[in-house]
Every structure is written in structure tokens, then in C-alpha cells.
Amino acid sequence: MLALHFSLMSALLLTTQSSLGIAAALLLLLPLPGLIKGRAYTAAWASMGLTFYCAFLLAEGYANPAQRTLAFALASLAAADFIALILFVRITARSARVSSAQTAE
């Protein structure tokens, strides 16, 4: 999960030339402390933000044929990060349910 998040952030920083692209990459730093600590709540809201990255990169790929391959590759990376965050939230919630059920017994 963290590797995908760092990869997306690094790829955006390396491939964008505009200040808007750099700002978008730096926004990925906001959930980083919570992700490092393994907080499911942070992963949940960070996954919602990644949907905008996927949408923006897919739109960029369709609108700019010269950058299509790069934009679609970055969109795939953002989608993989999204899936990893959602799976982390689901697994964390499931393990919390199991541990609370075991404590109640």
C-alpha cells in the first residue's frame, strides 16, 4: 500500500512540468502520516481522493494523445493505489470484528 502511494507520488513529481501537477503530487503527502501509522480511517478518505486522480489522469490521456501512454500508466498506478487502500480498510475492519468477537466470548 505504501509502496504504491510513494510510487504514484514520485511518478507524478517526475512527469509533471506544471505547478498544478506538482501541487497535485504534493497533496498525496497529506495522508502519509496516517498511512504510515496504519490508520484505516486515513486510508478510507485517501482512497476517496484517489478517485479524482484516476479521473483526471484518464481525462488527460483522452484529451492529449501525445501523453496518452504516460497518463494511462499513471491512471493505472492511481487505480492500483486505490484498490490497495480499499483492501487495507476491509482487512483492517474484518480483523477488528474478529478480535472484538473473540474478546466478547
Side-chain angles (χ1 to χ4, degrees):
M1 169 185 66
L2 285 174
L4 284 169
H5 201 73
F6 279 118
S7 298
L8 178 61
M9 197 172 14
S10 301
L12 284 172
L13 282 172
L14 292 174
T15 59
T16 58
Q17 293 84 21
S18 68
S19 59
L20 182 62
I22 293 170
L26 293 178
L27 279 174
L28 291 172
L29 287 172
L30 290 176
L32 206 52
L35 293 176
I36 290 171
K37 292 178 183 175
R39 294 184 178 154
Y41 181 78
T42 304
W45 68 261
S47 68
M48 288 186 280
L50 280 170
T51 58
F52 293 108
Y53 284 86
C54 290
F56 170 73
L57 290 165
L58 288 173
E60 177 70 23
Y62 282 113
N64 190 357
Q67 297 290 323
R68 182 165 289 162
T69 305
L70 176 63
F72 285 170
L74 289 173
S76 298
L77 188 58
D81 191 10
F82 172 79
I83 291 168
L85 289 171
I86 292 297
L87 287 175
F88 174 75
V89 170
R90 289 189 66 165
I91 291 169
T92 303
R94 184 174 291 148
S95 66
R97 272 195 314 263
V98 168
S99 66
S100 68
Q102 290 174 349
T103 305
E105 292 178 353

